[in-house]
Amino acid sequence: MASLSRLDLRECLQTLSVLQWLPVYIFLGMIPVFLIPYFLVFTKFWILSVLALAWLAYDWNTHSQGGRRSAWVRNWTLWKYFQNYFPIKLVKTHDLSPKHNYIIANHPHGIVSYGVFINFATEATSFARIFPAITPSVGTLEWIFWLPIVRDYVMSMGVCPVSGLALKYLLTQKSAGNAVVIVVGGAAEALLCRPGASTIYLKERKGFVKLALKTGAYLVPSYSFGENEVHNQETFPEGTWIRFFQKIFQATFKKILGLNFCTFHGRGLTRESWGFLPFNRPITTVVGEPLPIPKIKKPDKTTVDKYHALYIDALRKLFDQHKVQYGLPESQELTII
């Protein structure tokens, strides 16, 4: 009975660790958005708002200049519960030498990119032990860093804007041993996410290859098997009123926040119930062999296309070598659009 209680408690803590994720971001974001103007205009504590805004102005460029990470935050026990909820695993196929910098390109995006978050923005899967002397930085949307408190929270985990300025700084202005992690398909790829699917946006995504050539950073393919399995996504039939409104919401979210509005569902607070939590299905991020890239100040289209093709070949090879081991049928192919 005691063993059963411990098991129930562990599962409860794992569920809460995932459940807190989005509400915490929203709560932390809303505090400064509402309280700073309120204190500034309606209370005698206006000086607090002035100090907060002064700090934000002073610290404005930090997120684009290497950020401010915290080993303490990355090692929170909370992330271990989060990891074990699925569970999430990080697999190394080749060493990454600390003598070079790297762009770790990840696929697919999924609804939320749980695998990328846990494996590279926390130490829940022991990234520092698996890849010693390599410092990972996960790229995300830049507007997140416009929000006081939220920006400090995400920077503490080693998250940076997925902008040319921030990524180039990490790959050129700091010493070797840095790895920027980019989910190449971006938010648009979330709309392709559904169980059983292995479709990614990559054919015209060449900016990361151009960045690698300009900085001399090695390209590293990685694939998160199971990322598309943890939510079910609904795309309503064309011509229906609900599809009409779905398209409007998707276009609005994309324009304002750079996010795609996905109509998805998963499990509820219990495994058998319906809700928006992800299903308890394993996610395994496999990191492939680094592809050496020459440093070229102004790479031409032919050179970019050449290394883009080499990267696609390396990614297909990684996918085919590991797909059966991590739950996909032998006949499954990686579809690139």
Side-chain angles (χ1 to χ4, degrees):
M1 196 70 174
S3 177
L4 181 61
S5 298
R6 286 196 295 271
L7 182 62
D8 291 343
L9 177 60
R10 188 181 302 115
E11 184 166 340
C12 180
L13 290 172
Q14 290 170 3
T15 301
L16 289 174
S17 71
V18 177
L19 185 64
Q20 60 80 33
W21 201 37
L22 187 58
V24 164
Y25 276 101
I26 294 173
F27 178 70
L28 291 178
M30 291 301 101
I31 289 176
V33 168
F34 288 105
L35 289 188
I36 289 178
Y38 178 76
F39 276 28
L40 188 63
V41 177
F42 298 108
T43 77
K44 61 182 179 181
F45 301 109
W46 56 268
I47 188 64
L48 296 177
S49 294
V50 171
L51 290 173
L53 292 172
W55 167 251
L56 183 62
Y58 173 78
D59 197 51
W60 187 253
N61 292 322
T62 300
H63 61 273
S64 295
Q65 296 177 347
R68 185 170 48 246
R69 70 179 57 230
S70 165
W72 175 66
V73 174
R74 286 176 58 87
N75 281 281
W76 279 353
T77 304
L78 170 71
W79 309 131
K80 288 295 292 183
Y81 284 113
F82 199 128
Q83 176 230 342
N84 289 324
Y85 172 92
F86 294 90
I88 294 172
K89 184 179 178 183
L90 179 64
V91 174
K92 176 178 73 171
T93 63
H94 291 78
D95 290 332
L96 298 183
S97 169
K99 296 179 181 179
H100 305 287
N101 287 324
Y102 303 90
I103 296 176
I104 300 177
N106 184 262
H107 318 267
H109 185 282
I111 296 292
V112 179
S113 295
Y114 296 108
V116 165
F117 172 70
I118 285 297
N119 285 317
F120 301 111
T122 80
E123 285 296 327
T125 53
S126 303
F127 180 93
R129 178 182 58 79
I130 296 172
F131 295 103
I134 300 296
T135 303
S137 298
V138 178
T140 191
L141 297 168
E142 186 159 19
W143 63 263
I144 291 173
F145 298 90
W146 302 345
L147 301 173
I149 302 179
V150 172
R151 68 194 304 273
D152 294 285
Y153 181 49
V154 297
M155 277 196 293
S156 69
M157 292 181 279
V159 178
C160 69
V162 63
S163 65
L165 180 65
L167 299 179
K168 195 171 182 179
Y169 182 93
L170 288 166
L171 296 172
T172 60
Q173 299 302 311
K174 303 190 80 175
S175 58
N178 295 290
V180 297
V181 183
I182 304 173
V183 183
V184 176
E189 197 173 80
L191 296 176
L192 304 177
C193 166
R194 51 187 42 83
S198 298
T199 304
I200 62 173
Y201 283 126
L202 182 57
K203 192 173 289 185
E204 300 302 323
R205 303 290 175 111
K206 300 179 181 179
F208 74 105
V209 178
K210 194 172 184 178
L211 177 65
L213 286 163
K214 285 183 175 181
T215 60
Y218 285 18
L219 281 175
V220 183
S222 68
Y223 196 92
S224 292
F225 293 93
E227 189 71 55
N228 284 344
E229 311 299 317
V230 297
H231 287 291
N232 292 329
Q233 184 170 186
E234 299 291 341
T235 301
F236 300 104
E238 292 291 343
T240 61
W241 66 269
I242 197 166
R243 176 60 175 156
F244 172 76
F245 284 109
Q246 186 182 38
K247 284 184 173 180
I248 290 177
F249 277 119
Q250 287 173 345
T252 303
F253 269 71
K254 179 68 175 176
K255 186 175 182 179
I256 296 175
L257 298 177
L259 299 172
N260 278 293
F261 180 80
C262 300
T263 311
F264 68 91
H265 68 87
R267 55 159 280 192
L269 292 177
T270 61
R271 289 177 183 252
E272 297 78 19
S273 60
W274 189 97
F276 297 101
L277 286 170
F279 294 115
N280 305 82
R281 295 170 183 168
I283 299 173
T284 303
T285 301
V286 182
V287 180
E289 182 178 5
L291 178 65
I293 303 290
K295 186 174 182 179
I296 303 173
K297 189 175 183 180
K298 294 182 179 180
D300 57 26
K301 184 178 182 300
T302 302
T303 305
V304 173
D305 288 345
K306 172 187 173 182
Y307 284 96
H308 184 257
L310 289 173
Y311 175 80
I312 289 178
D313 290 342
L315 178 63
R316 286 192 186 278
K317 180 181 177 182
L318 180 74
F319 180 84
D320 289 338
Q321 285 179 339
H322 298 276
K323 61 185 178 183
V324 175
Q325 183 179 357
Y326 297 115
L328 295 177
E330 180 67 43
S331 59
Q332 184 93 349
E333 293 186 358
L334 180 63
T335 303
I336 296 176
I337 59 177

